[in-house]
Amino acid sequence: MNATGAARAQLSRWLGPAAVVLILFLALHVLRGELRPHGYHEIARTVRDIPLRQLIGAFGFTLLTYLVLPGYDALALAYAGRTGERRVAPRRIGFGAMIAYGLSQTLGFPAITGYAVRYRLWSAWGVSSAEIVRAAAFAGVAFTLGIALVSGLALLLEPAEILARAHIPAVATRAVGTLLVAGVGVFLAWSFARRGRAVRAPRWLAAHIDAVSGWEVPAPPPRLVLAQLGVALVDWSAAAAVLYTLLPDSASLGFVAFAGVFVLAQFVGLVSHVPGGLGVFETMVVLLLGPQLAADQTLAALLAYRAVYYLLPFCAALLALAVSEARARRAQPGSSPGANTANAAVVAARAGVVLARVTPAAVPFAASLATFGAGMVLLFSGATPSVSGRIATLERVLPHGVIEASHLLGSVAGAALLVLAWALRNRIGAAWGFSVALLAAGIVASLLKGLDWEEALLLALVLGVLLPFRNAFYRRSALTAEPFAPGWAFAILAVVGASVWLGMFSYRHVDYASDVWWRIHPHADAPRFLRASIVSAAALVMFGLSRLLRQAPVAPAHPAPEELRRAASIVARAPGTIGHLALLGDKALLFDPGGNGNADTSSRTPSDAAMPASGTVVSESEGFVQYSVAGRSWVALGDPIAVTGPSAREVRAELAWRFREEADRHGGWPVFYDVGTESLPLYIDLGLSFLKLGEQARVDLTAFSLEGGRKSLRRVTRDVERTGARFEVLSADRVPGILPMLRAVSDQWLANKSVREKGFSLGFFDEAYLGRFPVAVVRAAVADASGNDIVAFANVLPGGGHEELSVDLMRFAERAPRSVMDYLFVQLMLWGKAEGYRWFSLGMAPLAGLEARQLAPLWAKAGAWLYRHGEHFYNYRGLRQYKEKFDPVWEPRYLASPGGLALPRILANIASLISGGLTGVVRK
């Protein structure tokens, strides 16, 4: 990727978040104008004066909403075919919906939070992946239709005078509303016309693309569509009723008109892309209700609405899921109820472990957002006046310095929690420890600076949510090494800006003279706010500058000899054999910083970054990623390589995260090519999707022999040995002496096949590379004119601990006996068995095992078609049939990548890497 392309990619990543923050600040500016006649204390008093009956009513409508929400899931599962005896129990649907919506409505990003939880729970209840995909698609369409319907009705029915208040043209809103309602009507009419019949690909398309010939999607039946629209109307009406109930009795606005205001404000908040519409939704409601209600009363109701409708269900969802998993843990065989109840800390910790496994994408995200919210609370608390009576109480028992220091500590802790929240999102173990410490410090500071027990209770709740999930934060990366996403950086900027806005609004009556900064008094809230804001902002600025001034990473370079020696030491103790391909020297290496030789060599040039000496003993926590870059694709070959040991899993996880961060830093796509099933949960955590590449053939050497049904292999062995050929494995120290003979065989093979050397995932003839390994050779009875008796060879890749054996570079001469490679494989497997190896890898059969089923992804259908009909491109079927004669165990192999529209470019980039450039893709 050139410098211009990288700069454009970085700019595009920053423009979106910058626009969102700008919209937020504009909304706050408008809100400040609306609140000009009202002060902070007036609004706070209005919030406290909300009658208990109104709060109970709002809670009741919130409960009604969460009783209706499972309807979405029930209808989606019915569309997926889970009806009758196969239906999911209603209590399970309700439980899953409460957790999924409780998290997603508060955190946003339902595809990450709600759907992650829903997938884990539904799959555990026996719902197949195909049914989950179909249900999720139906739920997505139904959600869109619901928003379109209620928004369209709101725009059509909203009184013109309310729209004029927000300077929204009535003609435009009526036109948009008509289009939205008409779109829903067209979809409903289409549903009635189809009556549940499947939609198939057009004939003209199926005639040209065989992969879509069997493609069909059942049209949703009218009864399900009508039911979904009904659920949407009830859901939105109940949500609007929550806020309507919290409005004062003096509000002269009917519920129907208010529901239009509510939906319109929610629609604007959704379009603004501000998470949860925070600030934008409030500003729109204050503007639209301006003629009927004072701004301070509306804002007080909105603050209570956020607490009742968002915060309480979020906490309840986390608590319900944690309790459920703790009960499931206690119910497991061998679990003693008495022992578990005797130690609540152990139960909580185990619940955290189980929950982290059940919802790997939701737990860090929820903990991150909760910590971010705690930081917001501390900053906003530091920007608002304290309660005079509580300060007077503290003044009698504490020195002034303690109050001042606690106020400053609380604000700085809040700013630090905003930063740590991003590290929690990336599962950094150190961030968990620092967050726990800062939350505890925040609790103490909240009590010492003004007896803010409500704030301390909220922080304690966040701390209690965070504590059980220690095992979900397993990465050992340094906090300062984490790259900040633009969205997160602007989110911190938005919170700090909003806290300053809140402080300036709270103390706008204060005369900001020169001495106000240094004024120290128990009731001098404005000076404390100014000092805390300056110190917190300075700490964030210093943190930002320290990251900006770090040495910029350079483009990945091929490994230096010292790095190759280090990689060889690691590969020799790793169980697999794919790591040996790093020794080709054509790929960059990213080492684990926690292992021996902590230098980060992912972005080095051959002349810098001193590495450990060749005789260095490898740490049991060491590993590396081998990768190349083509276009925007940063392609890692295989799973991260790690030395066999108890920490191997953590090393692989850390390396995968660091590789993704390195790619992100350069504006690239992180791609893992040819990975197994064991690490798929890790790539899910990284936010990657999967494409099945084919299946790897592995022969169980403990059961391999030429006896029994191996008649064809016995015949091959006899036929080759009758020619006088013999098999031999030469140790690595003997290989340099035969390299000229191997070169002659290789050159002849390339010429006869009319192919050129490949790379990346395939070995090429390199003397330094071949000299590192044993080489299996087949020698003819009679040498050729040059004295070369080697007619076939393959370099042998031994896995650590005698776990796996494989070959890479395989070549044979024109005069070699027929089926010589079969003979070489058979003899090498027998040799490996005698040496104590467990498996022999025959490599991958591309596109094997792909299914062209109705609900299979388009890429899988295309791959299955190519496997069946692409013989003139590549002998896909023949390769699998050849390997099948050895009776292997077939294991699926995947591509983990961002997917989506980037997938075609990623596949083209991988092809160019393997083929040695774009010309190699179209040439042999």
Side-chain angles (χ1 to χ4, degrees):
M1 188 180 196
N2 57 37
T4 303
R8 288 176 179 173
Q10 289 289 357
L11 181 61
S12 64
R13 296 176 66 203
W14 285 90
L15 284 179
V20 170
V21 173
L22 179 60
I23 292 172
L24 174 62
F25 284 166
L26 288 175
L28 292 177
H29 175 71
V30 174
L31 186 61
R32 185 174 184 272
E34 293 295 317
L35 294 173
R36 185 173 290 110
H38 310 284
Y40 170 83
H41 290 287
E42 184 180 354
I43 296 174
R45 184 169 57 252
T46 306
V47 173
R48 290 193 297 268
D49 290 343
I50 294 177
L52 180 61
R53 59 178 177 79
Q54 289 182 247
L55 293 173
I56 294 175
F59 179 77
F61 280 113
T62 300
L63 185 60
L64 174 62
T65 300
Y66 278 85
L67 291 175
V68 172
L69 286 175
Y72 288 115
D73 290 11
L75 293 171
L77 288 171
Y79 171 76
R82 304 293 296 194
T83 57
E85 295 181 355
R86 300 183 67 251
R87 70 170 186 162
V88 179
R91 60 182 178 82
R92 287 183 167 179
I93 295 176
F95 176 75
M98 183 195 73
I99 294 174
Y101 288 109
L103 295 176
S104 62
Q105 290 200 147
T106 303
L107 303 179
F109 309 102
I112 299 176
T113 52
Y115 284 123
V117 175
R118 201 173 280 112
Y119 177 83
R120 300 290 171 174
L121 293 176
W122 286 1
S123 59
W125 297 335
V127 183
S128 68
S129 297
E131 290 170 335
I132 293 175
V133 169
R134 184 183 295 185
F138 178 77
V141 172
F143 180 74
T144 303
L145 289 175
I147 290 179
L149 179 62
V150 296
S151 300
L153 292 175
L155 293 173
L156 286 175
L157 301 177
E158 196 63 48
E161 59 272 15
I162 292 181
L163 296 174
R165 169 70 178 168
H167 305 288
I168 301 175
V171 176
T173 57
R174 301 295 187 261
V176 174
T178 301
L179 288 175
L180 291 174
V181 174
V184 176
V186 169
F187 183 86
L188 186 59
W190 173 78
S191 175
F192 271 98
R194 298 298 304 181
R195 292 287 180 182
R197 296 193 302 274
V199 179
R200 295 179 175 84
R203 292 182 179 178
W204 61 268
L205 184 62
H208 291 82
I209 304 177
D210 185 63
V212 301
S213 60
W215 179 85
E216 61 178 31
V217 175
R223 58 182 180 83
L224 291 183
V225 176
L226 289 173
Q228 282 281 22
L229 294 177
V231 170
L233 286 174
V234 176
D235 172 29
W236 282 89
S237 299
V242 176
L243 180 55
Y244 186 75
T245 304
L246 293 168
L247 296 177
D249 297 333
S250 58
S252 57
L253 189 68
F255 176 73
V256 175
F258 171 78
V261 169
F262 177 86
V263 173
L264 181 59
Q266 288 279 15
F267 180 76
V268 173
L270 183 67
V271 171
S272 71
H273 292 287
V274 176
L278 191 64
V280 178
F281 170 73
E282 283 79 4
T283 300
M284 285 299 300
V285 174
V286 169
L287 278 176
L288 296 174
L289 295 184
Q292 287 82 20
L293 202 61
D296 65 318
Q297 294 177 315
T298 305
L299 187 59
L302 286 165
L303 292 173
Y305 166 76
R306 286 284 184 182
V308 172
Y309 188 74
Y310 289 100
L311 184 59
L312 288 180
F314 173 73
C315 297
L318 282 180
L319 181 62
L321 191 53
V323 170
S324 172
E325 296 303 329
R327 292 178 61 186
R329 179 76 179 183
R330 289 197 298 269
Q332 291 179 354
S335 176
S336 170
N340 285 330
T341 54
N343 193 337
V346 173
V347 173
R350 289 178 176 176
V353 173
V354 176
L355 181 55
R357 292 175 179 172
V358 172
T359 56
V363 167
F365 195 78
S368 171
L369 267 292
T371 303
F372 193 87
M376 289 177 57
V377 168
L378 286 170
L379 282 176
F380 290 170
S381 173
T384 52
S386 53
V387 180
S388 299
R390 297 180 182 181
I391 288 292
T393 302
L394 283 176
E395 188 181 6
R396 290 194 291 268
V397 296
L398 291 177
H400 292 170
V402 173
I403 299 175
E404 296 289 338
S406 299
H407 192 281
L408 191 63
L409 173 63
S411 296
V412 173
L417 286 172
L418 299 181
V419 175
L420 288 171
W422 169 247
L424 287 175
R425 176 69 183 89
N426 286 298
R427 304 169 184 267
I428 305 299
W432 181 88
F434 280 116
S435 298
V436 168
L438 286 176
L439 285 169
I443 293 172
V444 175
S446 298
L447 296 174
L448 295 182
K449 72 179 181 180
L451 287 180
D452 291 330
W453 62 267
E454 302 93 341
E455 177 184 323
L457 183 62
L458 184 60
L459 295 176
L461 179 62
V462 175
L463 180 60
V465 168
L466 196 61
L467 280 174
F469 302 135
R470 173 65 184 90
N471 290 77
F473 306 96
Y474 51 80
R475 297 185 57 211
R476 297 175 288 115
S477 175
L479 292 174
T480 54
E482 290 302 298
F484 252 61
W488 208 275
F490 276 107
I492 294 176
L493 175 63
V495 171
V496 174
S499 69
V500 174
W501 176 92
L502 182 60
M504 300 302 290
F505 171 76
S506 302
Y507 305 114
R508 59 185 176 185
H509 60 282
V510 175
D511 180 18
Y512 291 99
S514 59
D515 65 334
V516 72
W517 299 87
W518 320 114
R519 199 176 299 161
I520 298 178
H521 188 273
H523 297 280
D525 291 320
R528 277 199 294 269
F529 151 68
L530 292 175
R531 290 191 293 268
S533 298
I534 291 296
V535 173
S536 301
L540 291 174
V541 168
M542 291 176 62
F543 176 78
L545 287 176
S546 67
R547 301 182 64 82
L548 289 174
L549 295 177
R550 289 186 308 173
Q551 183 178 0
V554 297
H558 287 174
E562 295 84 357
E563 292 179 90
L564 291 177
R565 284 195 291 269
R566 182 180 177 190
S569 299
I570 295 172
V571 170
R573 300 174 62 189
T577 56
I578 196 172
H580 287 292
L581 293 173
L583 306 182
L584 283 165
D586 65 335
K587 293 174 282 291
L589 302 179
L590 172 67
F591 287 97
D592 172 33
N596 192 22
N598 295 329
D600 182 0
T601 63
S602 61
S603 302
R604 59 175 293 286
T605 58
S607 61
D608 58 19
M611 303 298 299
S614 58
T616 302
V617 177
V618 180
S619 165
E620 288 190 356
S621 65
E622 196 171 11
F624 66 89
V625 172
Q626 51 180 327
Y627 70 99
S628 293
V629 178
R632 287 189 61 185
S633 301
W634 285 54
V635 187
L637 177 58
D639 296 306
I641 310 300
V643 171
T644 302
S647 61
R649 184 174 182 179
E650 289 75 12
V651 170
R652 284 193 292 268
E654 174 62 26
L655 283 166
W657 276 94
R658 293 189 63 242
F659 178 72
R660 193 199 78 164
E661 291 156 5
E662 190 69 20
D664 287 344
R665 191 177 289 116
H666 289 79
W669 296 318
V671 179
F672 292 85
Y673 174 78
D674 193 8
V675 300
T677 56
E678 181 182 354
S679 298
L680 293 188
L682 169 61
Y683 302 126
I684 292 175
D685 290 350
L686 291 168
L688 304 179
S689 57
F690 306 108
L691 173 66
K692 186 176 180 181
L693 297 173
E695 293 181 327
Q696 180 188 30
R698 300 180 79 204
V699 178
D700 184 356
L701 294 181
T702 60
F704 181 79
S705 71
L706 294 181
E707 305 300 325
R710 310 277 188 175
K711 181 178 180 180
S712 63
L713 298 182
R714 291 196 298 270
R715 183 174 61 250
V716 164
T717 301
R718 288 196 302 268
D719 291 345
V720 173
E721 290 183 345
R722 282 197 191 108
T723 67
R726 68 185 189 279
F727 170 83
E728 185 179 1
V729 176
L730 304 176
S731 60
D733 60 330
R734 297 176 60 189
V735 171
I738 62 168
L739 282 175
M741 291 186 285
L742 300 182
R743 169 72 76 177
V745 172
S746 176
D747 290 346
Q748 188 182 94
W749 183 85
L750 291 172
N752 290 339
K753 297 291 184 181
S754 298
V755 297
R756 64 176 188 170
E757 296 281 19
K758 305 297 184 182
F760 187 65
S761 62
L762 300 173
F764 50 84
F765 195 96
D766 179 81
E767 294 185 355
Y769 172 65
L770 289 175
R772 294 178 178 272
F773 310 105
V775 172
V777 299
V778 177
R779 296 184 183 271
V782 179
D784 62 11
S786 64
N788 186 3
D789 65 344
I790 296 178
V791 293
F793 75 89
N795 64 324
V796 181
L797 307 182
H802 287 70
E803 176 65 19
E804 184 179 84
L805 190 70
S806 67
V807 296
D808 175 31
L809 200 67
M810 298 171 288
R811 306 282 161 90
F812 59 89
E814 187 176 8
R815 69 188 189 96
R818 185 179 179 181
S819 303
V820 67
M821 295 310 296
D822 290 8
Y823 172 73
L824 186 148
F825 278 133
V826 168
Q827 296 303 313
L828 188 54
M829 289 179 193
L830 293 173
W831 177 85
K833 179 179 181 179
E835 293 291 320
Y837 285 91
R838 175 74 174 84
W839 295 95
F840 185 88
S841 174
L842 288 166
M844 183 171 59
L847 305 182
L850 297 183
E851 297 283 354
R853 296 179 183 272
Q854 174 182 335
L855 294 176
L858 179 60
W859 286 107
K861 293 180 180 179
W865 176 87
L866 189 61
Y867 180 77
R868 294 195 305 269
H869 306 291
E871 285 83 359
H872 59 288
F873 295 113
Y874 187 85
N875 190 18
Y876 296 107
R877 283 189 170 183
L879 182 60
R880 181 182 176 101
Q881 291 170 358
Y882 174 81
K883 297 180 179 183
E884 193 68 58
K885 69 176 70 174
F886 298 99
D887 293 333
V889 176
W890 292 99
E891 299 176 352
R893 308 297 291 179
Y894 296 91
L895 173 75
S897 73
L901 297 177
L903 187 56
R905 291 175 61 185
I906 290 172
L907 293 174
N909 290 335
I910 294 173
S912 70
L913 287 174
I914 296 174
S915 302
L918 292 176
T919 57
V921 177
V922 294
R923 293 173 51 196
K924 288 187 177 181

